[in-house]
Amino acid sequence: MIHLRYEVDGSDFVSCGKASEDVKRTLKNIGIPSEIIRKIAIAMYEGEVNMVIHANGGLAEVEILPDRITIVLTDTGKGIPDIPKAMEEGFSTATEAIRELGFGAGMGLPNMKNYSDDLKVESRVGEGTKVTMSFIL
Amino acid sequence: MKLKEIAAALAGTPAVEGQEAEITRFYAGDFLSRVMGRAPEGCGWLTVMNNVNVAGVAVLAGIRAIILCEGIQPVRELSERCRQEGIGLITTPLDVYAASVGLYRAGGEA
Ligand SMILES: Nc1ncnc2c1ncn2[C@@H]1O[C@H](COP(=O)(O)OP(=O)(O)O)[C@@H](O)[C@H]1O
Ligand SMILES: [Mg+2]
């Protein structure tokens, strides 16, 4: 089993995605098929970006087992008041400044759902959000 | 199409060579999540978005070349990142629509 852990810096949204890129490299090195790596890399990037643009950063943990990969993203940000609403395609609370960078299409959570085999979002307003994604190998 | 052929079809300039690869499919769009949700693996990506995250998204989504439209000159971080990652970067004076037409005429899949 491999366990990876990253502190995601919430102050730098001009160049975020370092954790996802590192995970992508690691999965390539251990020989995971490229179609699966692509799904994991995209889903994790969306989650990583969300922690940066909506929650001031957080923690990303990746557990690699022979038959599955689990990614847990935890933050102590503002939380999500209405999770079903947040899951809707196109729903976004991103600011104009963030949208100008190309983020904030409201497609992050839908992409995470589509690309993972299982997505769980737990959140408490004012306390934070925990996103768990699993991928079957 | 090779990168050089794409550039030629768009009256463009290859700013970063990228890896020698055949690109037949393309995707156009600026919102990064839409690109990651829809762009086919190995494609060329037409956009006007000009920041380093564009290269990051290309890496993660397996995009082979970025085609920066409307004469926009890439910021240094973007071209450097493309160079490091082996992603092609082309600049073209054409807008996204005209560039798409150009690629279609040159043999790109619709
Ligand atoms: N980690 C998070 N902390 C707080 N809010 C979040 C978090 N992740 C998502 N959200 C909320 O859910 C909405 C939808 O997320 P997403 O689908 O990724 O779209 P986008 O990030 O483009 O806004 C966000 O606009 C935000 O309001
Ligand atoms: Mg998002």
Side-chain angles (χ1 to χ4, degrees):
Chain A
M1 190 194 95
I2 302 175
H3 190 253
L4 307 169
R5 190 175 181 279
Y6 307 87
E7 307 270 352
V8 176
D9 179 4
S11 64
D12 184 13
F13 51 75
V14 179
S15 70
C16 52
K18 299 215 167 58
S20 310
E21 283 155 22
D22 190 73
V23 168
K24 185 182 180 203
R25 268 191 299 275
T26 305
L27 297 180
K28 195 171 174 209
N29 288 341
I30 62 171
I32 305 291
S34 68
E35 327 82 73
I36 296 179
I37 295 179
R38 182 172 189 265
K39 294 198 299 180
I40 294 172
I42 291 174
M44 179 164 172
Y45 181 73
E46 291 286 14
E48 190 180 347
V49 167
N50 278 357
M51 288 201 297
V52 176
I53 65 179
H54 303 300
N56 241 315
L59 182 69
E61 289 170 284
V62 182
E63 188 183 70
I64 306 170
L65 294 170
D67 61 336
R68 69 166 55 225
I69 293 178
T70 306
I71 298 177
V72 182
L73 306 166
T74 327
D75 67 63
T76 54
K78 60 183 186 295
I80 305 175
D82 183 345
I83 294 173
K85 186 90 201 155
M87 294 295 308
E88 282 176 15
E89 292 193 0
F91 176 81
S92 176
T93 58
T95 62
E96 199 46 46
I98 284 167
R99 290 166 70 85
E100 276 169 15
L101 287 170
F103 299 118
M107 294 298 293
L109 286 166
N111 279 348
M112 288 153 81
K113 191 173 170 54
N114 287 340
Y115 283 124
S116 64
D117 292 300
D118 188 59
L119 167 70
K120 191 164 80 183
V121 182
E122 298 159 278
S123 190
R124 269 175 194 271
V125 173
E127 289 183 23
T129 301
K130 178 177 173 186
V131 173
T132 308
M133 290 184 281
S134 313
F135 303 85
I136 295 163
L137 296 180
Chain B
M1 275 182 270
K2 297 274 189 276
L3 212 73
K4 282 192 194 71
E5 297 166 310
I6 294 173
L10 302 179
T13 316
V16 177
E17 291 291 344
Q19 275 153 9
E20 265 298 299
E22 188 66 19
I23 300 173
T24 52
R25 304 186 67 187
F26 297 91
Y27 180 84
D30 300 316
F31 268 126
L32 305 180
S33 290
R34 292 210 162 262
V35 177
M36 287 188 290
R38 299 289 298 276
E41 184 156 24
C43 73
W45 171 21
L46 298 115
T47 187
V48 293
M49 196 53 79
N50 182 16
N51 64 57
V52 69
N53 297 308
V54 169
V57 164
V59 172
L60 295 168
I63 289 167
R64 289 208 179 107
I66 295 160
I67 301 154
L68 201 50
C69 298
E70 297 192 19
I72 293 167
Q73 291 308 305
V75 293
R76 191 173 44 83
E77 292 83 354
L78 174 58
S79 39
E80 268 173 17
R81 194 68 214 286
C82 287
R83 205 166 289 123
Q84 281 164 16
E85 301 285 352
I87 292 169
L89 178 62
I90 293 171
T91 60
T92 171
L94 304 182
D95 64 26
V96 173
Y97 173 72
S100 303
V101 172
L103 289 169
Y104 181 67
R105 288 202 177 124
E109 287 171 25

